[in-house]
Amino acid sequence: MTRPIDRYAVIGNPIAHSKSPRIHHAFAEQTGERLEYTRLLGEPGRFAEQVGDFMAAGGKGLNVTVPFKEEAWRLVDERSPRAESARAVNTIIRLADGRLRGDNTDGAGLVRDLCDNLGARLQDSRILLVGAGGAARGVLRPLLETHPRQIVIANRTASKAVDLAADLAKLGPVTGCGFGELSGRRFDLIINATAAGLADAVPDIPDNLLDTNGWCYDMMYGDEPTAFMRWGEGQGAARTLDGLGMLVEQAAESFYLWRGVRPDTAPVIRALRRA
Ligand code: ATR
């Protein structure tokens, strides 16, 4: 008798355009892992039930995306330290005893893209993280674990940046402020974790924040350079980067958690860029 195929899915709303099935099937093909990975349209108010149904039907794990990551954090039975700091779960693993473990691979994905794919050296660097919502919180712990000299979180609503920094200050040198307080400061890397790009807008941060050789990294991606990447070019950034590599790397980290095998991400990133 052949074993039933291991089932995974990504749940979110909207979900139709998620690239995750394509990415995970590419990983599975490359590593010889036998699995199926589908999209699940999450329904507000029914998330917990949908996760329960998926796991009861033999599901082995889920990726969770907008707007359910915080709800997933509340739902799981146990959490990794990085999920705990993120207060959000993007990866659910069904353990052998049926309990659900929550992890968050977003920050690890960002750091791997920056350091392994792009060759950034974050140790001792000055990082400006723009935004203080779920996307920013999700990546802070892994960023701090690279031992930057300082991370400044700047947000349109300054109090949210101050609160987020205070919450994670025990993990490393991080402070929070509003956009106005940034004037005159210099950074090696500016990361956009705001939702401004959804409206093709750029956060209203001051000019001249980038040091010579400074980089701009947008956690969003699109077919064309994002508004923030265009802003970075205007600021003379040595490199302007989008979040496609982060997307593939966070998927690879989830794949590793589920299957214990690390896929090679480079060909998958290349294929997505070509498409
Ligand atoms: P996410 O989970 O994607 O981070 P969120 O929690 O709603 O979503 O947070 C959105 C972030 O984008 C916030 O930091 C928000 O700033 P405020 O806290 O001041 O609302 C930021 N944001 C959204 N649109 C923005 C814009 N046009 N300019 C600057 N910041 C923006």
Side-chain angles (χ1 to χ4, degrees), residues 67-120:
F68 298 113
K69 291 185 190 183
E70 286 82 12
E71 201 170 338
W73 182 86
R74 289 192 293 274
L75 177 72
V76 292
D77 301 300
E78 63 174 54
R79 309 179 190 113
S80 69
R82 59 194 183 183
E84 205 66 300
S85 301
R87 281 210 227 129
V89 157
N90 82 333
T91 307
I92 301 179
I93 303 130
R94 184 160 66 87
L95 301 172
D97 62 5
R99 289 179 329 118
L100 300 183
R101 178 172 170 83
D103 205 330
N104 192 313
T105 65
D106 286 330
L110 171 66
V111 168
R112 266 184 191 272
D113 192 38
L114 277 165
C115 297
D116 297 1
N117 298 340
L118 302 164

Side-chain angles (χ1 to χ4, degrees), residues 70 131-136 155-157 160 179 193-196 201-204:
E70 286 82 12
N155 197 45
R156 182 173 61 181
T157 312
K160 281 173 64 181
F179 293 163
T194 72
V202 181
D204 192 19

Side-chain angles (χ1 to χ4, degrees), residues 144 164-174:
L144 282 165
L164 178 56
D167 202 28
L168 292 177
K170 58 184 176 301
L171 299 177
V174 56

Side-chain angles (χ1 to χ4, degrees), residues 127-133 136-137 140 150-155 158 160-166 168 174-179 182 187:
I127 301 174
L128 172 60
L129 182 63
V130 189
R137 177 182 277 277
L140 262 169
Q150 177 160 52
I151 298 181
V152 175
I153 307 169
N155 197 45
K160 281 173 64 181
V162 172
D163 291 349
L164 178 56
L168 292 177
V174 56
T175 56
C177 66
F179 293 163
L182 293 172
F187 297 94

